[in-house]
Amino acid sequence: MSYEELEPFYCDAEEIMEVSGADDISAIIPRSRPYPQPPHRFSSPDEIMKHFNMPAARARLPTATRPACCSTARCHLCPVDAKFTALNGFRDLFERVDILLGARALKLETEGGLVRSVVYRHEDRESEMAGEMFVLGANTIHSPAILLASGFDDPLIGVGINEQLGVEVEALLDGVDNFDGSTITTGVNYTLYDGPFRREHAGAMLHFENRWRDGFRLDFGRWRQTLPILVVLENPPDAGSRVTLGSDGEPVVAYAGESEYCARGLEAAQRELERVLAPLPVESVRWGEKRETESHMHGSLRMGTSPATSVVDGGQVHHRARNLIVVGSSVFPTCPNANPSLTAAALSLRAAEKAYGTLQ
Amino acid sequence: VKLELSRRMVFAGALAGLGLASAAAWAGLGRPRAAIRAVIRRNVGQLNVPVDAIDAFADEFWPGLKQRLGRKGGVMLAMLEVGRPLTDVVGSRRIESAEREIVTAFLLGSDFFRAGSSPEHPISWVGLARTCQNPFRRG
């Protein structure tokens, strides 16, 4: 699958999610359509850095179902509902489908190589629902767990689960105030993102943050002269990382940690950051801890052309059970250093089109 | 032997009582207020900060901080109250982090920035801000 094939689906997903962004980013990531929403306002450090705007599903302008982002920086649960969610973005859809809240899918029943039904628990009672087509999107841990519980014996189910490595950095600035941008992260820096160096070490995305992650500075009157940066590195799949089922039937994750490739990428970022920050009046740089998780997991049901090296095909259909589509970042064959949500959405739209034709 | 045991028991009892009293002092309302007053005065004492505003902030802020600090809360409070000389010995980064958190929450939850950031303005405590709390955001 080429980027050119996926690109229209990125645009479709952006329109559904009403993503904000600036079209000059096409110098790095080619695009065929403008962003649905104008870009967020840069913070002052981003203006000095002449960054690209970070595309965001946090509304820059009010939409029919969402107010504009007010830069509260509490995005895990937006207090004003400015961030796209299925709940605020798919209201029309909810009128046309039935959703069984509080139900947990336990396993798929198969017959003749096809999935015939899903067994689920709802209000302490197990039930079964038959169907013709099944879409599995239960996240990178539970999707493989459901297949394992269903007796699928593909050798690569759960194998290679991976996630990015995030490391926090704080740059103390001389005379430049931060936090005046219009959403949580307004600028993205691609200096260490891609290039021939990726033969040797991981690429990194640098998020310049418009939030007081580390708190204000304690120097009187210079409270905002601090720039939190998040360095996010790609981390390739490792066969030693996998999802299995425990004796209680619940998923168990064994994680090999970051690779040598990723560790070399971090060393390179540590060497290069001073050069990257050269446009800013930086007093000092403090490298923080590695984050426990980026909450961006991938690769436990990877897509590919062969059942020997993957679980689903290029259309995200299971290689043998041809009425089972897997969606979500579990199908990613590699670990990106960018946030995976839009790619997961674009792939889902593409998989739906392949299965059912152009969607209305 | 009976007398010795009794003395030991009295001594152990006294020690336990002292420990409990100390623990109670660290965990009680008085100590958090004192520590948070010290942090605010040390870092933004140049501003016009009435003690009532600090105490109102402390009463609202401390339960959450206590939960985040866990068992080390008492020790952290003591170090926050004393100031930096002690913090250079143990966990200076964690103390600095807590101090920054306190100053940030206080300034953002007060009317200081919204009243124009004037050092003369008598600061009022408004409340721990949770939504649309960024007073620096440009339109």
Short mmCIF file of all heavy atoms in Angstrom, two decimals, chain A residues 41-44 47 60 69-72 74 79-80 170 179-182 210 212 214-218 220 223-224 226 286-287, chain B residues 43-47 84 93 96-97 99-101 103-104 107-108 112-113 117 119 129-139:
data_model
loop_
_atom_site.label_atom_id
_atom_site.label_comp_id
_atom_site.label_asym_id
_atom_site.label_seq_id
_atom_site.Cartn_x
_atom_site.Cartn_y
_atom_site.Cartn_z
N ARG A 41 -3.72 28.78 16.61
CA ARG A 41 -2.76 29.86 16.75
C ARG A 41 -1.51 29.34 17.47
O ARG A 41 -1.60 28.70 18.50
CB ARG A 41 -3.36 31.01 17.55
CG ARG A 41 -2.39 32.15 17.70
CD ARG A 41 -3.08 33.46 17.87
NE ARG A 41 -2.10 34.53 17.86
CZ ARG A 41 -2.40 35.79 17.83
NH1 ARG A 41 -3.67 36.16 17.80
NH2 ARG A 41 -1.47 36.73 17.84
N PHE A 42 -0.37 29.67 16.88
CA PHE A 42 0.90 29.24 17.46
C PHE A 42 1.12 29.85 18.84
O PHE A 42 0.66 30.95 19.13
CB PHE A 42 2.06 29.71 16.59
CG PHE A 42 2.39 28.80 15.44
CD1 PHE A 42 2.76 29.35 14.21
CD2 PHE A 42 2.40 27.42 15.58
CE1 PHE A 42 3.10 28.53 13.15
CE2 PHE A 42 2.75 26.60 14.51
CZ PHE A 42 3.09 27.15 13.30
N SER A 43 1.91 29.15 19.64
CA SER A 43 2.49 29.78 20.83
C SER A 43 3.66 30.65 20.37
O SER A 43 4.14 30.51 19.23
CB SER A 43 3.01 28.70 21.79
OG SER A 43 4.09 28.02 21.17
N SER A 44 4.15 31.52 21.23
CA SER A 44 5.27 32.38 20.85
C SER A 44 6.53 31.59 20.49
O SER A 44 7.19 31.91 19.50
CB SER A 44 5.57 33.38 21.98
OG SER A 44 4.50 34.29 22.10
N GLU A 47 6.16 30.39 16.99
CA GLU A 47 6.32 31.46 15.99
C GLU A 47 7.79 31.70 15.71
O GLU A 47 8.20 31.87 14.56
CB GLU A 47 5.66 32.74 16.51
CG GLU A 47 4.15 32.72 16.40
CD GLU A 47 3.48 33.94 17.01
OE1 GLU A 47 4.16 34.70 17.74
OE2 GLU A 47 2.28 34.12 16.78
N ARG A 60 -10.77 24.40 16.15
CA ARG A 60 -10.27 25.78 16.15
C ARG A 60 -11.45 26.74 16.15
O ARG A 60 -11.43 27.77 16.81
CB ARG A 60 -9.40 26.00 14.91
CG ARG A 60 -8.94 27.44 14.72
CD ARG A 60 -7.93 27.82 15.78
NE ARG A 60 -7.34 29.11 15.51
CZ ARG A 60 -7.41 30.16 16.34
NH1 ARG A 60 -8.10 30.06 17.46
NH2 ARG A 60 -6.83 31.29 16.05
N CYS A 69 -11.77 24.89 20.97
CA CYS A 69 -10.86 24.54 22.06
C CYS A 69 -10.46 25.81 22.81
O CYS A 69 -10.18 26.84 22.20
CB CYS A 69 -9.62 23.86 21.49
SG CYS A 69 -8.32 23.54 22.70
N CYS A 70 -10.45 25.74 24.16
CA CYS A 70 -10.05 26.92 24.92
C CYS A 70 -8.71 26.68 25.62
O CYS A 70 -8.36 27.38 26.56
CB CYS A 70 -11.13 27.33 25.91
SG CYS A 70 -11.53 26.08 27.13
N SER A 71 -7.97 25.69 25.13
CA SER A 71 -6.59 25.50 25.56
C SER A 71 -6.47 25.19 27.05
O SER A 71 -5.55 25.62 27.72
CB SER A 71 -5.77 26.76 25.22
OG SER A 71 -4.41 26.47 25.17
N THR A 72 -7.39 24.40 27.53
CA THR A 72 -7.37 24.00 28.94
C THR A 72 -6.27 22.97 29.21
O THR A 72 -5.80 22.85 30.34
CB THR A 72 -8.74 23.39 29.32
OG1 THR A 72 -9.71 24.41 29.22
CG2 THR A 72 -8.74 22.85 30.73
N ARG A 74 -6.49 19.72 29.14
CA ARG A 74 -6.97 18.52 29.85
C ARG A 74 -7.66 17.62 28.83
O ARG A 74 -8.84 17.32 28.93
CB ARG A 74 -7.93 18.90 30.98
CG ARG A 74 -7.24 19.69 32.08
CD ARG A 74 -8.21 20.04 33.17
NE ARG A 74 -7.55 20.84 34.19
CZ ARG A 74 -6.85 20.35 35.19
NH1 ARG A 74 -6.74 19.06 35.33
NH2 ARG A 74 -6.27 21.13 36.07
N PRO A 79 -13.08 19.03 28.94
CA PRO A 79 -14.18 19.51 29.78
C PRO A 79 -15.23 20.32 29.03
O PRO A 79 -16.32 20.53 29.56
CB PRO A 79 -13.46 20.39 30.83
CG PRO A 79 -12.15 20.73 30.23
CD PRO A 79 -11.79 19.62 29.29
N VAL A 80 -14.89 20.77 27.80
CA VAL A 80 -15.91 21.49 27.03
C VAL A 80 -16.31 20.73 25.77
O VAL A 80 -17.04 21.23 24.95
CB VAL A 80 -15.42 22.92 26.67
CG1 VAL A 80 -15.24 23.75 27.92
CG2 VAL A 80 -14.15 22.89 25.85
N GLU A 170 12.56 19.73 29.02
CA GLU A 170 12.15 21.09 29.31
C GLU A 170 13.27 22.05 28.93
O GLU A 170 14.42 21.87 29.35
CB GLU A 170 11.83 21.28 30.80
CG GLU A 170 11.35 22.69 31.12
CD GLU A 170 11.09 22.93 32.60
OE1 GLU A 170 11.63 22.17 33.43
OE2 GLU A 170 10.37 23.90 32.91
N PHE A 179 2.82 29.40 26.36
CA PHE A 179 1.44 29.08 26.75
C PHE A 179 0.39 30.01 26.14
O PHE A 179 -0.74 30.05 26.61
CB PHE A 179 1.26 29.08 28.28
CG PHE A 179 2.32 28.31 29.04
CD1 PHE A 179 2.87 28.82 30.20
CD2 PHE A 179 2.76 27.09 28.56
CE1 PHE A 179 3.85 28.12 30.89
CE2 PHE A 179 3.75 26.38 29.24
CZ PHE A 179 4.29 26.90 30.41
N ASP A 180 0.75 30.76 25.10
CA ASP A 180 -0.22 31.67 24.50
C ASP A 180 -0.81 31.12 23.21
O ASP A 180 -1.49 31.83 22.48
CB ASP A 180 0.38 33.06 24.27
CG ASP A 180 1.72 33.01 23.57
OD1 ASP A 180 2.22 31.89 23.31
OD2 ASP A 180 2.29 34.08 23.28
N GLY A 181 -0.55 29.85 22.90
CA GLY A 181 -1.18 29.22 21.75
C GLY A 181 -2.63 28.86 22.05
O GLY A 181 -3.08 28.96 23.20
N SER A 182 -3.34 28.38 21.01
CA SER A 182 -4.78 28.20 21.19
C SER A 182 -5.20 26.75 21.42
O SER A 182 -6.39 26.46 21.49
CB SER A 182 -5.55 28.77 20.00
OG SER A 182 -5.24 28.06 18.82
N ASN A 210 2.17 23.56 24.59
CA ASN A 210 1.59 24.83 25.00
C ASN A 210 0.85 24.62 26.33
O ASN A 210 -0.24 25.09 26.53
CB ASN A 210 0.61 25.29 23.90
CG ASN A 210 0.01 26.64 24.18
OD1 ASN A 210 0.72 27.60 24.45
ND2 ASN A 210 -1.31 26.73 24.15
N TRP A 212 1.54 23.81 30.81
CA TRP A 212 2.51 23.88 31.91
C TRP A 212 2.70 22.50 32.50
O TRP A 212 2.45 22.28 33.69
CB TRP A 212 2.08 24.91 32.96
CG TRP A 212 0.60 24.97 33.14
CD1 TRP A 212 -0.17 24.25 33.99
CD2 TRP A 212 -0.31 25.82 32.43
NE1 TRP A 212 -1.48 24.57 33.86
CE2 TRP A 212 -1.61 25.54 32.90
CE3 TRP A 212 -0.16 26.79 31.42
CZ2 TRP A 212 -2.74 26.19 32.41
CZ3 TRP A 212 -1.28 27.42 30.93
CH2 TRP A 212 -2.55 27.12 31.43
N ASP A 214 5.35 20.94 33.34
CA ASP A 214 6.30 20.92 34.46
C ASP A 214 6.00 22.02 35.46
O ASP A 214 6.79 22.25 36.38
CB ASP A 214 7.73 21.10 33.92
CG ASP A 214 8.03 20.10 32.81
OD1 ASP A 214 7.91 18.90 33.07
OD2 ASP A 214 8.34 20.53 31.68
N GLY A 215 4.91 22.73 35.28
CA GLY A 215 4.59 23.87 36.14
C GLY A 215 5.29 25.13 35.64
O GLY A 215 6.10 25.10 34.72
N PHE A 216 4.94 26.24 36.27
CA PHE A 216 5.63 27.50 35.95
C PHE A 216 7.07 27.44 36.45
O PHE A 216 7.39 26.66 37.37
CB PHE A 216 4.94 28.67 36.65
CG PHE A 216 3.58 29.01 36.11
CD1 PHE A 216 2.71 29.79 36.86
CD2 PHE A 216 3.17 28.59 34.85
CE1 PHE A 216 1.45 30.12 36.38
CE2 PHE A 216 1.91 28.91 34.37
CZ PHE A 216 1.06 29.67 35.13
N ARG A 217 7.90 28.28 35.88
CA ARG A 217 9.23 28.46 36.47
C ARG A 217 9.07 29.14 37.81
O ARG A 217 8.11 29.87 38.05
CB ARG A 217 10.09 29.35 35.57
CG ARG A 217 10.65 28.65 34.39
CD ARG A 217 11.47 29.58 33.56
NE ARG A 217 12.76 29.93 34.19
CZ ARG A 217 13.78 30.42 33.52
NH1 ARG A 217 13.69 30.62 32.21
NH2 ARG A 217 14.90 30.73 34.13
N LEU A 218 10.05 28.94 38.68
CA LEU A 218 9.97 29.58 40.00
C LEU A 218 10.65 30.94 40.01
O LEU A 218 10.53 31.68 40.99
CB LEU A 218 10.59 28.65 41.06
CG LEU A 218 9.81 27.34 41.29
CD1 LEU A 218 10.53 26.46 42.31
CD2 LEU A 218 8.38 27.62 41.76
N PHE A 220 10.95 34.58 39.74
CA PHE A 220 9.85 35.54 39.87
C PHE A 220 9.64 36.32 38.57
O PHE A 220 10.58 36.90 38.01
CB PHE A 220 10.10 36.52 41.01
CG PHE A 220 8.95 37.43 41.27
CD1 PHE A 220 7.84 36.98 41.99
CD2 PHE A 220 8.91 38.72 40.74
CE1 PHE A 220 6.75 37.81 42.20
CE2 PHE A 220 7.83 39.55 40.94
CZ PHE A 220 6.74 39.09 41.68
N TRP A 223 7.61 33.23 34.99
CA TRP A 223 6.88 31.97 35.17
C TRP A 223 6.67 31.21 33.87
O TRP A 223 6.70 29.99 33.86
CB TRP A 223 5.53 32.27 35.84
CG TRP A 223 5.67 32.94 37.17
CD1 TRP A 223 6.30 32.42 38.27
CD2 TRP A 223 5.21 34.24 37.55
NE1 TRP A 223 6.25 33.31 39.31
CE2 TRP A 223 5.58 34.43 38.91
CE3 TRP A 223 4.52 35.25 36.90
CZ2 TRP A 223 5.28 35.60 39.61
CZ3 TRP A 223 4.21 36.41 37.59
CH2 TRP A 223 4.60 36.59 38.94
N ARG A 224 6.43 31.95 32.78
CA ARG A 224 6.07 31.29 31.51
C ARG A 224 7.26 31.07 30.58
O ARG A 224 7.08 30.64 29.44
CB ARG A 224 5.01 32.12 30.79
CG ARG A 224 3.69 32.18 31.54
CD ARG A 224 2.82 33.33 31.02
NE ARG A 224 2.61 33.25 29.59
CZ ARG A 224 2.21 34.28 28.84
NH1 ARG A 224 1.98 35.45 29.39
NH2 ARG A 224 2.05 34.14 27.55
N THR A 226 9.29 28.90 29.93
CA THR A 226 9.63 27.49 29.92
C THR A 226 8.93 26.81 28.75
O THR A 226 7.80 27.17 28.41
CB THR A 226 9.22 26.81 31.25
OG1 THR A 226 9.32 25.39 31.10
CG2 THR A 226 7.79 27.15 31.65
N ARG A 286 16.73 20.53 30.09
CA ARG A 286 16.71 19.45 31.09
C ARG A 286 15.99 18.25 30.50
O ARG A 286 14.81 18.35 30.14
CB ARG A 286 15.96 19.90 32.35
CG ARG A 286 16.57 21.12 32.98
CD ARG A 286 15.66 21.70 34.03
NE ARG A 286 15.58 20.85 35.21
CZ ARG A 286 15.00 21.24 36.35
NH1 ARG A 286 14.44 22.43 36.44
NH2 ARG A 286 14.99 20.44 37.38
N TRP A 287 16.68 17.14 30.40
CA TRP A 287 16.05 15.90 29.92
C TRP A 287 15.39 15.21 31.09
O TRP A 287 16.01 15.04 32.14
CB TRP A 287 17.09 14.99 29.27
CG TRP A 287 17.44 15.45 27.89
CD1 TRP A 287 18.35 16.41 27.56
CD2 TRP A 287 16.86 15.00 26.66
NE1 TRP A 287 18.37 16.60 26.21
CE2 TRP A 287 17.47 15.73 25.63
CE3 TRP A 287 15.89 14.06 26.33
CZ2 TRP A 287 17.14 15.54 24.29
CZ3 TRP A 287 15.57 13.87 25.00
CH2 TRP A 287 16.18 14.60 23.99
N ASN B 43 8.34 32.10 46.98
CA ASN B 43 8.42 32.25 45.52
C ASN B 43 7.69 33.46 44.96
O ASN B 43 8.12 34.02 43.96
CB ASN B 43 7.90 30.97 44.85
CG ASN B 43 8.83 29.80 45.05
OD1 ASN B 43 9.88 29.74 44.43
ND2 ASN B 43 8.46 28.88 45.93
N VAL B 44 6.57 33.84 45.59
CA VAL B 44 5.84 34.99 45.06
C VAL B 44 5.52 35.97 46.20
O VAL B 44 4.50 36.67 46.16
CB VAL B 44 4.55 34.57 44.29
CG1 VAL B 44 4.91 33.85 43.02
CG2 VAL B 44 3.64 33.72 45.15
N GLY B 45 6.41 36.02 47.16
CA GLY B 45 6.23 36.91 48.30
C GLY B 45 6.25 38.38 47.92
O GLY B 45 5.77 39.23 48.67
N GLN B 46 6.79 38.68 46.74
CA GLN B 46 6.82 40.07 46.28
C GLN B 46 5.44 40.56 45.89
O GLN B 46 5.22 41.76 45.76
CB GLN B 46 7.76 40.22 45.07
CG GLN B 46 9.19 39.80 45.33
CD GLN B 46 9.46 38.35 44.92
OE1 GLN B 46 8.64 37.47 45.17
NE2 GLN B 46 10.61 38.12 44.31
N LEU B 47 4.52 39.62 45.68
CA LEU B 47 3.16 40.01 45.31
C LEU B 47 2.35 40.32 46.57
O LEU B 47 2.77 39.99 47.69
CB LEU B 47 2.48 38.87 44.53
CG LEU B 47 3.18 38.42 43.25
CD1 LEU B 47 2.41 37.27 42.60
CD2 LEU B 47 3.35 39.57 42.27
N ARG B 84 14.82 25.19 50.56
CA ARG B 84 15.72 24.45 49.69
C ARG B 84 16.94 23.81 50.35
O ARG B 84 17.39 22.80 49.82
CB ARG B 84 16.17 25.36 48.55
CG ARG B 84 14.99 25.62 47.64
CD ARG B 84 15.38 26.33 46.41
NE ARG B 84 14.20 26.47 45.56
CZ ARG B 84 14.17 27.08 44.41
NH1 ARG B 84 15.26 27.64 43.94
NH2 ARG B 84 13.08 27.16 43.71
N ARG B 93 14.76 17.23 43.09
CA ARG B 93 13.95 17.37 41.87
C ARG B 93 12.46 17.22 42.20
O ARG B 93 11.63 17.93 41.66
CB ARG B 93 14.42 16.30 40.87
CG ARG B 93 13.88 16.46 39.46
CD ARG B 93 14.64 17.51 38.69
NE ARG B 93 14.11 17.69 37.36
CZ ARG B 93 14.71 17.26 36.25
NH1 ARG B 93 15.87 16.66 36.32
NH2 ARG B 93 14.16 17.46 35.07
N GLU B 96 11.32 20.34 44.04
CA GLU B 96 11.17 21.44 43.09
C GLU B 96 9.89 21.26 42.28
O GLU B 96 9.15 22.21 42.04
CB GLU B 96 12.38 21.51 42.15
CG GLU B 96 12.30 22.70 41.21
CD GLU B 96 13.27 22.58 40.04
OE1 GLU B 96 14.32 21.93 40.20
OE2 GLU B 96 12.94 23.14 38.98
N SER B 97 9.65 20.02 41.89
CA SER B 97 8.45 19.73 41.10
C SER B 97 7.19 20.06 41.90
O SER B 97 6.25 20.68 41.38
CB SER B 97 8.49 18.25 40.70
OG SER B 97 7.33 17.91 40.04
N GLU B 99 6.99 22.14 44.37
CA GLU B 99 6.95 23.58 44.59
C GLU B 99 6.40 24.29 43.34
O GLU B 99 5.59 25.21 43.43
CB GLU B 99 8.38 24.06 44.89
CG GLU B 99 8.41 25.35 45.65
CD GLU B 99 9.71 25.50 46.46
OE1 GLU B 99 10.47 24.53 46.60
OE2 GLU B 99 9.94 26.61 46.93
N ARG B 100 6.83 23.83 42.19
CA ARG B 100 6.32 24.42 40.94
C ARG B 100 4.83 24.16 40.79
O ARG B 100 4.08 25.03 40.34
CB ARG B 100 7.10 23.85 39.74
CG ARG B 100 8.55 24.31 39.71
CD ARG B 100 9.31 23.70 38.56
NE ARG B 100 8.91 24.24 37.27
CZ ARG B 100 9.53 23.98 36.12
NH1 ARG B 100 10.58 23.16 36.11
NH2 ARG B 100 9.10 24.51 35.00
N GLU B 101 4.42 22.96 41.16
CA GLU B 101 3.00 22.62 41.06
C GLU B 101 2.17 23.54 41.96
O GLU B 101 1.10 24.02 41.56
CB GLU B 101 2.82 21.15 41.46
CG GLU B 101 1.41 20.64 41.25
CD GLU B 101 1.25 19.18 41.67
OE1 GLU B 101 2.26 18.49 41.88
OE2 GLU B 101 0.10 18.75 41.80
N VAL B 103 2.96 26.62 43.17
CA VAL B 103 2.97 28.01 42.69
C VAL B 103 2.07 28.15 41.46
O VAL B 103 1.29 29.11 41.34
CB VAL B 103 4.40 28.47 42.38
CG1 VAL B 103 4.41 29.81 41.67
CG2 VAL B 103 5.22 28.55 43.67
N THR B 104 2.16 27.18 40.56
CA THR B 104 1.35 27.23 39.33
C THR B 104 -0.14 27.19 39.67
O THR B 104 -0.93 28.01 39.16
CB THR B 104 1.71 26.04 38.42
OG1 THR B 104 3.11 26.06 38.18
CG2 THR B 104 0.96 26.12 37.10
N LEU B 107 -1.27 30.57 41.39
CA LEU B 107 -1.39 31.74 40.50
C LEU B 107 -2.55 31.56 39.52
O LEU B 107 -3.30 32.50 39.26
CB LEU B 107 -0.08 31.98 39.76
CG LEU B 107 1.08 32.48 40.62
CD1 LEU B 107 2.34 32.66 39.78
CD2 LEU B 107 0.73 33.81 41.32
N LEU B 108 -2.70 30.34 38.99
CA LEU B 108 -3.77 30.12 38.00
C LEU B 108 -5.16 30.13 38.63
O LEU B 108 -6.12 30.55 38.00
CB LEU B 108 -3.56 28.79 37.28
CG LEU B 108 -2.50 28.77 36.19
CD1 LEU B 108 -2.26 27.35 35.70
CD2 LEU B 108 -2.90 29.67 35.02
N PHE B 112 -4.96 36.69 39.94
CA PHE B 112 -3.76 37.47 39.64
C PHE B 112 -3.60 37.78 38.15
O PHE B 112 -3.49 38.95 37.76
CB PHE B 112 -2.52 36.72 40.17
CG PHE B 112 -1.22 37.36 39.78
CD1 PHE B 112 -0.87 38.61 40.28
CD2 PHE B 112 -0.34 36.73 38.92
CE1 PHE B 112 0.33 39.21 39.92
CE2 PHE B 112 0.86 37.32 38.56
CZ PHE B 112 1.20 38.56 39.06
N PHE B 113 -3.61 36.75 37.30
CA PHE B 113 -3.38 36.99 35.87
C PHE B 113 -4.56 37.74 35.26
O PHE B 113 -4.38 38.64 34.45
CB PHE B 113 -3.14 35.67 35.13
CG PHE B 113 -1.83 35.03 35.48
CD1 PHE B 113 -1.79 33.77 36.06
CD2 PHE B 113 -0.62 35.67 35.22
CE1 PHE B 113 -0.59 33.18 36.38
CE2 PHE B 113 0.59 35.08 35.55
CZ PHE B 113 0.61 33.83 36.13
N SER B 117 -1.94 41.02 36.36
CA SER B 117 -0.62 40.63 36.86
C SER B 117 0.10 41.77 37.60
O SER B 117 1.34 41.82 37.62
CB SER B 117 0.28 40.12 35.72
OG SER B 117 -0.36 39.13 34.97
N PRO B 119 1.73 43.58 40.66
CA PRO B 119 2.24 43.16 41.98
C PRO B 119 1.47 43.82 43.13
O PRO B 119 1.45 43.30 44.24
CB PRO B 119 3.70 43.62 41.98
CG PRO B 119 4.04 43.83 40.54
CD PRO B 119 2.77 44.23 39.86
N ALA B 129 -8.97 26.00 39.11
CA ALA B 129 -9.58 26.11 37.79
C ALA B 129 -9.53 24.77 37.08
O ALA B 129 -8.54 24.07 37.14
CB ALA B 129 -8.84 27.16 36.97
N ARG B 130 -10.60 24.40 36.42
CA ARG B 130 -10.61 23.11 35.74
C ARG B 130 -10.96 23.25 34.26
O ARG B 130 -10.59 22.42 33.47
CB ARG B 130 -11.58 22.16 36.41
CG ARG B 130 -11.24 21.93 37.88
CD ARG B 130 -11.83 20.65 38.41
NE ARG B 130 -11.69 20.58 39.85
CZ ARG B 130 -10.58 20.23 40.47
NH1 ARG B 130 -9.52 19.93 39.78
NH2 ARG B 130 -10.52 20.20 41.78
N THR B 131 -11.71 24.24 33.89
CA THR B 131 -12.03 24.39 32.47
C THR B 131 -11.64 25.79 31.99
O THR B 131 -11.74 26.76 32.73
CB THR B 131 -13.54 24.21 32.22
OG1 THR B 131 -14.24 25.16 33.01
CG2 THR B 131 -13.99 22.82 32.58
N CYS B 132 -11.21 25.83 30.74
CA CYS B 132 -10.83 27.10 30.12
C CYS B 132 -9.96 27.92 31.06
O CYS B 132 -10.23 29.10 31.31
CB CYS B 132 -12.07 27.88 29.66
SG CYS B 132 -13.01 26.96 28.43
N GLN B 133 -8.93 27.28 31.58
CA GLN B 133 -8.13 27.90 32.63
C GLN B 133 -6.88 28.60 32.10
O GLN B 133 -6.05 29.02 32.89
CB GLN B 133 -7.72 26.85 33.63
CG GLN B 133 -6.78 25.79 33.03
CD GLN B 133 -6.16 24.90 34.08
OE1 GLN B 133 -6.44 25.02 35.24
NE2 GLN B 133 -5.29 24.01 33.65
N ASN B 134 -6.73 28.68 30.78
CA ASN B 134 -5.50 29.27 30.26
C ASN B 134 -5.70 30.77 30.02
O ASN B 134 -6.27 31.17 29.02
CB ASN B 134 -5.12 28.58 28.95
CG ASN B 134 -3.80 29.08 28.42
OD1 ASN B 134 -3.29 30.11 28.87
ND2 ASN B 134 -3.23 28.37 27.46
N PRO B 135 -5.21 31.61 30.93
CA PRO B 135 -5.43 33.05 30.77
C PRO B 135 -4.49 33.68 29.74
O PRO B 135 -4.62 34.86 29.43
CB PRO B 135 -5.12 33.60 32.17
CG PRO B 135 -4.17 32.63 32.76
CD PRO B 135 -4.49 31.29 32.17
N PHE B 136 -3.56 32.88 29.21
CA PHE B 136 -2.56 33.44 28.26
C PHE B 136 -2.93 33.17 26.81
O PHE B 136 -2.28 33.68 25.90
CB PHE B 136 -1.19 32.81 28.54
CG PHE B 136 -0.88 32.66 30.00
CD1 PHE B 136 -0.76 31.41 30.57
CD2 PHE B 136 -0.76 33.78 30.83
CE1 PHE B 136 -0.52 31.25 31.93
CE2 PHE B 136 -0.52 33.63 32.18
CZ PHE B 136 -0.40 32.36 32.74
N ARG B 137 -3.94 32.34 26.60
CA ARG B 137 -4.33 31.96 25.25
C ARG B 137 -4.71 33.19 24.44
O ARG B 137 -5.50 34.02 24.88
CB ARG B 137 -5.53 31.01 25.32
CG ARG B 137 -6.10 30.57 24.00
CD ARG B 137 -7.41 29.81 24.23
NE ARG B 137 -7.93 29.23 23.00
CZ ARG B 137 -8.69 29.90 22.13
NH1 ARG B 137 -9.01 31.16 22.36
NH2 ARG B 137 -9.13 29.29 21.05
N ARG B 138 -4.11 33.27 23.24
CA ARG B 138 -4.51 34.34 22.33
C ARG B 138 -5.60 33.80 21.42
O ARG B 138 -5.65 32.63 21.11
CB ARG B 138 -3.31 34.79 21.50
CG ARG B 138 -2.21 35.41 22.36
CD ARG B 138 -1.02 35.81 21.53
NE ARG B 138 -0.34 34.66 20.97
CZ ARG B 138 0.73 34.73 20.19
NH1 ARG B 138 1.23 35.91 19.86
NH2 ARG B 138 1.31 33.64 19.72
N GLY B 139 -6.46 34.66 20.97
CA GLY B 139 -7.63 34.23 20.19
C GLY B 139 -7.30 33.62 18.86
O GLY B 139 -6.20 33.60 18.41
#
